[in-house]
Amino acid sequence: MEFTSGYADRRDDIIRLFKDTFTVSEGAAEGDLIASLVTDMFGKVTPGDIFVFSAFEGGTLVGAVIFSRMTYAEDERTVFILSPAVVATGQQGKGIGQALLSHSMRSLRENSVDVVLTYGDLNFYSRVGFHRITEEIAQAPLPLSYPEGWLAQSLTESTLTPLRGSSTCVEPLNDPAMW
Ligand SMILES: CC(C)(COP(=O)(O)OP(=O)(O)OC[C@H]1O[C@@H](n2cnc3c(N)ncnc32)[C@H](O)[C@@H]1OP(=O)(O)O)[C@@H](O)C(=O)NCCC(=O)NCCS
């Protein structure tokens, strides 16, 4: 398997992977919502505020994960949030998601990211270092409809201490439907 962080010339492939996979797993409306989110991530987020990692098997795109910047008003640490993540329907359950995320975390660490947040299923994300947090550790930018899914990990040697102040996310995630 190969991993890459360049995405300028494969934006449409990545959008299609998200759309097709979420349409299969969660229905057409969710497929459309995710496709629109990823399109906005590529079109509206400043390059320094986004990381995209893709996985290829035999030259075919099989997975993609997107990280975008979060800002904590009174905290100097560099924080990114993972959302969304996908592995192609026929390729799930083979370890690709975990391998892609482990690669991504190494790369983010090399890029001086201190903390990574995500909002999802602990059963999966705990396998790549995430643990449950409360909003005393990190305020969410919008109300959480599923607080059990609020997860984080420190990419430094230090354990995660509370992120200070209120938070803001990139514009495409600033939508109650995502939270
Ligand atoms: C979630 C996803 C990215 C995981 O990637 P993957 O390559 O299938 O996962 P891996 O093979 O590395 O890990 C599989 C393990 O994670 C867990 N897992 C996988 N998908 C899961 C999910 N949607 N929810 C909870 N746990 C999940 C399983 O317990 C599995 O463990 P097992 O093999 O012991 O049963 C992928 O399944 C996917 O794209 N699903 C549909 C879209 C989605 O739900 N995206 C995440 C929300 S943004």
Side-chain angles (χ1 to χ4, degrees):
M1 195 165 14
E2 283 175 32
F3 302 114
T4 173
S5 58
Y7 62 98
D9 56 352
R10 64 177 69 93
R11 293 177 179 206
D12 290 347
D13 292 343
I14 294 172
I15 293 166
R16 195 173 313 113
L17 175 65
F18 275 104
K19 182 181 171 75
D20 292 350
T21 309
F22 277 82
T23 297
V24 170
S25 67
E26 303 191 29
E30 190 67 16
D32 288 344
L33 185 71
I34 292 287
S36 153
L37 168 65
V38 176
T39 302
D40 285 350
M41 285 283 200
F42 291 159
K44 295 185 178 172
V45 179
T46 311
D49 290 346
I50 184 169
F51 289 94
V52 180
F53 300 97
S54 308
F56 288 84
E57 190 81 75
T60 302
L61 177 69
V62 292
V65 291
I66 299 179
F67 298 81
S68 57
R69 190 181 297 277
M70 297 252 323
T71 305
Y72 281 82
E74 295 154 32
D75 206 292
E76 289 183 344
R77 282 171 286 181
T78 301
V79 184
F80 275 74
I81 185 165
L82 164 62
S83 178
V86 74
V87 169
T89 304
Q91 302 291 329
Q92 292 170 7
K94 299 178 177 179
I96 294 173
Q98 290 173 68
L100 175 57
L101 284 171
S102 298
H103 167 84
S104 305
M105 296 307 162
R106 281 194 295 276
S107 182
L108 293 174
R109 196 176 285 119
E110 285 164 14
N111 281 278
S112 302
V113 174
D114 298 306
V115 179
V116 181
L117 304 170
T118 196
Y119 187 43
D121 194 314
L122 182 63
N123 285 334
F124 174 64
Y125 290 108
S126 63
R127 293 166 182 242
V128 288
F130 287 94
H131 57 87
R132 261 193 81 176
I133 56 165
T134 65
E135 292 199 72
E136 284 168 13
I137 298 288
Q139 281 187 36
L142 278 85
L144 297 172
S145 59
Y146 174 62
E148 297 78 7
W150 192 224
L151 313 176
Q153 71 175 287
S154 169
L155 295 186
T156 68
E157 310 259 295
S158 326
T159 53
L160 181 57
T161 54
L163 290 158
R164 291 183 297 275
S166 58
S167 66
T168 48
C169 58
V170 296
E171 196 228 294
L173 288 179
N174 194 20
D175 174 353
M178 301 297 161
W179 299 88

